[in-house]
Amino acid sequence: KRRPRSASSCGSRAAAAMAPHGEAALLVLLLVLPPASAGLSGYFGTKSRYEEVNPHLVRDPLSLGPGKGGSLPASCAPLQLRAVLRHGTRYPTAGQVRRLGELHARLLRRPAGTAACPAAAALAAWPMWYEESLDGRLAPQGRRDMELLARRMAARFPALFAARRRLALASSSKHRCLQSGAAFRRGLGPTLDFGGDEVEVEVNDSLMRFFDHCAKFVALVEENDAAMCQVNAFKEGPEMKKVLEKVASALCLPVEELNAGKEFLLQLAIKNVTSPWCSLFSEEDAKVLEYLNDLKQYWKRGYGYDINSRSSCILFQDIFQHLDKAVEESKSSKPISSPLIVQVGHAETLQPLLALMGYFKDDEPLLANNYARHAQRKFRSGRIVPYAANLVFVLYHCDHVNASQEEYQVQLLLNEKLLSFHHSNETTSTYADLKDYYKDILENCHFKEECELPKVNVTAVDEL
């Protein structure tokens, strides 16, 4: 088993000592979505609005954008579409609302007669409308995200979304995902008759929340402070210290008063241009906070540890099993039993899957001490898995081909843009070539064995 590349510079004892207060509060919550500040909106990390990766949607929410088509010949017809979606824009969790309330109350308690502090006064006057009952549920904007995505997807692939085609709709058990699935179905409208019955959203956590079912990931990464040592080291580093001191000064508070809730304070920086929180932060501050979020995604969901991505092979293999079945049915001149498969999960569903496939991998790992060198990094979670992110496999059958292996071809879209395949650097691949490229994962990645906890008594860092 390999040791993480950072082990020499980030020991487990130091990481445990710096275990953060309220780890979930690291996430940026972008909930209300009028036009965002041009200076900050590109750095929201996993809480980015979908329009940041597709700005043409601001002008026309139903636009398919530039470059709608690919390089497929006209004789190619789509057989199957498999889409893995992230839920739409959501509200903060109960814990995050609670921490915001504590910080807001701290500002309200500033003694009368203390030095004038416009920023603190503005934030104290800010209406605290969040309630713990919202607890991560889908926001109205999230429903709109899904409905519009469904309409664009149907416009892009009208033959697959035609009436009387079967739609298989699945979701994680989280309420925001179930609601997103229902919103996606509503977006397709009443004119599409998917077999005559209202489409039920099937709960499938084994695929959409595979990470919860992977004991090795849960024990050695999810619940292991040492695995996040790079994240914790960056929190204590010079870039974050500068941002924290600036915020403390603007709020006329000692830095130590911010420490307990600083993770949540910093996420509020990039909430929305209409919020007074935004006035505390510059674009450079936002870049630092984005890197903090990306570090967490990298080490917990991306390339930091092999188990992060290997745990997703159960989903990857399921995708290809359904593609295989569609090819077999087509060869036998049978109707395609599952022409449309749409599944709704999380950023934590998509990010490991994309890492397993080798996308957005930088030459140098993301570390606490190389922030400046990663200014142009590929791994930017807000560009990869914003709210309503979607990864779509489309299988085509092509007539009049030169060789039999060209009869079945595949395209891959991320957030409605064609992705180039690694093995060819083209946006179209024969299905045979794609399967051959990922042969090792398809044949040798076994979820049960990958996720089994080591039986010998070794440290978590050594095992990883």
Side-chain angles (χ1 to χ4, degrees):
K1 306 288 184 181
R2 70 175 178 90
R3 178 183 291 270
R5 297 175 66 176
S6 64
S8 61
S9 61
C10 192
S12 59
R13 181 188 299 177
M18 292 187 292
H21 171 73
E23 183 66 28
L26 284 170
L27 302 179
V28 180
L29 299 192
L30 181 65
L31 305 171
V32 187
L33 298 171
S37 162
L40 302 183
S41 62
Y43 309 105
F44 293 151
T46 53
K47 300 306 176 285
S48 294
R49 63 178 189 164
Y50 189 68
E51 288 81 357
E52 289 304 316
V53 297
N54 284 312
H56 60 273
L57 297 178
V58 175
R59 299 184 300 274
D60 179 3
L62 294 177
S63 168
L64 300 186
K68 171 191 170 187
S71 54
L72 281 166
S75 62
C76 296
L79 285 182
Q80 186 182 72
L81 178 147
R82 173 70 173 264
V84 182
L85 318 180
R86 184 192 179 192
H87 59 77
T89 306
R90 68 167 173 84
Y91 288 117
T93 64
Q96 291 161 339
V97 172
R98 191 160 52 249
R99 282 184 285 276
L100 174 56
E102 291 168 359
L103 181 58
H104 192 243
R106 199 173 304 150
L107 293 169
L108 285 171
R109 289 196 302 268
R110 279 175 52 82
T114 53
C117 193
L123 290 172
W126 174 71
M128 172 60 189
W129 61 271
Y130 296 113
E131 298 177 358
E132 290 187 32
S133 60
L134 295 173
D135 196 23
R137 289 178 175 260
L138 198 68
Q141 176 62 37
R143 289 192 286 274
R144 187 170 179 266
D145 292 338
M146 290 290 108
E147 290 173 4
L148 292 171
L149 176 61
R151 293 175 66 181
R152 292 193 302 272
M153 205 174 284
R156 193 181 299 272
F157 301 104
L160 285 176
F161 284 85
R164 294 180 296 281
R165 301 302 296 271
R166 180 173 179 267
L167 169 65
L169 195 55
S171 163
S172 96
S173 59
K174 294 294 182 180
H175 199 269
R176 55 187 170 273
C177 295
L178 288 164
Q179 286 188 322
S180 289
F184 184 93
R185 173 64 186 89
R186 281 197 305 275
L188 297 176
T191 58
L192 292 179
D193 175 17
F194 292 102
D197 296 320
E198 182 65 24
V199 177
E200 300 258 339
V201 182
E202 173 201 356
V203 173
N204 191 334
D205 278 343
S206 65
L207 292 182
M208 293 296 97
R209 294 184 64 85
F210 52 79
F211 42 88
D212 282 346
H213 300 266
C214 184
K216 184 176 181 181
F217 170 79
V218 171
L220 303 187
V221 180
E222 181 74 42
E223 297 179 352
N224 177 21
D225 289 331
M228 294 298 102
C229 62
Q230 291 296 333
V231 179
N232 295 326
F234 188 72
K235 290 179 193 175
E236 305 298 320
E239 295 89 358
M240 285 291 291
K241 183 179 179 183
K242 182 179 177 182
V243 175
L244 189 61
E245 288 177 345
K246 175 183 172 181
V247 172
S249 175
L251 295 178
C252 306
L253 291 173
V255 171
E256 54 269 22
E257 284 196 29
L258 297 180
N259 281 339
K262 70 180 178 182
E263 289 86 5
F264 192 61
L265 169 64
L266 295 178
Q267 68 177 291
L268 293 171
I270 44 184
K271 179 178 178 291
N272 192 280
V273 69
T274 61
S275 167
W277 294 102
C278 284
S279 64
L280 299 175
F281 298 85
S282 67
E283 184 174 1
E284 184 54 43
D285 298 334
K287 290 178 180 179
V288 172
L289 301 178
E290 180 196 31
Y291 191 71
L292 175 63
N293 184 265
D294 287 350
L295 266 178
K296 182 179 179 181
Q297 291 296 314
Y298 183 90
W299 288 98
K300 187 168 272 192
R301 306 294 178 182
Y303 291 104
Y305 304 107
D306 284 343
I307 190 58
N308 299 348
S309 59
R310 297 290 285 184
S311 63
S312 73
C313 69
I314 188 172
L315 174 57
F316 187 72
Q317 290 165 345
D318 186 79
I319 290 169
F320 276 82
Q321 286 165 9
H322 280 90
L323 292 171
D324 281 346
K325 186 177 181 182
V327 168
E328 291 168 9
E329 290 170 338
S330 171
K331 286 181 175 179
S332 304
S333 300
K334 296 178 180 177
I336 306 304
S337 54
S338 298
L340 288 172
I341 304 173
V342 177
Q343 298 166 309
V344 188
H346 307 263
E348 297 88 344
T349 309
L350 279 167
Q351 191 73 77
L353 182 62
L354 286 162
L356 184 72
M357 297 177 69
Y359 285 101
F360 309 106
K361 186 175 185 179
D362 294 283
D363 294 334
E364 185 180 356
L366 273 64
L367 303 173
N369 62 4
N370 63 5
Y371 164 71
R373 292 201 298 277
H374 273 303
Q376 302 300 321
R377 65 189 178 279
K378 298 175 186 175
F379 194 92
R380 291 186 65 193
S381 57
R383 301 296 165 139
I384 304 169
V385 286
Y387 284 129
N390 49 91
L391 180 65
V392 178
F393 292 75
V394 187
L395 175 68
Y396 294 86
H397 176 261
C398 301
D399 293 322
H400 315 301
V401 293
N402 296 323
S404 59
Q405 72 164 11
E406 296 177 5
E407 190 176 351
Y408 295 96
Q409 301 197 35
V410 183
Q411 287 189 328
L412 190 63
L413 296 93
L414 177 65
N415 301 327
E416 301 176 75
K417 297 173 186 173
L418 287 168
L419 271 181
S420 295
F421 292 101
H422 286 303
H423 61 278
S424 64
N425 206 31
E426 301 288 340
T427 56
T428 301
S429 170
T430 67
Y431 185 53
D433 284 348
L434 183 63
K435 285 187 68 176
D436 185 63
Y437 182 74
Y438 289 115
K439 183 177 180 180
D440 180 65
I441 298 171
L442 292 172
E443 294 182 359
N444 301 316
C445 185
H446 305 289
F447 183 80
K448 184 178 178 181
E449 288 79 5
E450 296 284 347
C451 291
E452 192 174 21
L453 276 170
K455 293 181 172 62
V456 292
N457 187 23
V458 295
T459 68
V461 173
D462 284 337
E463 173 60 22
L464 286 169

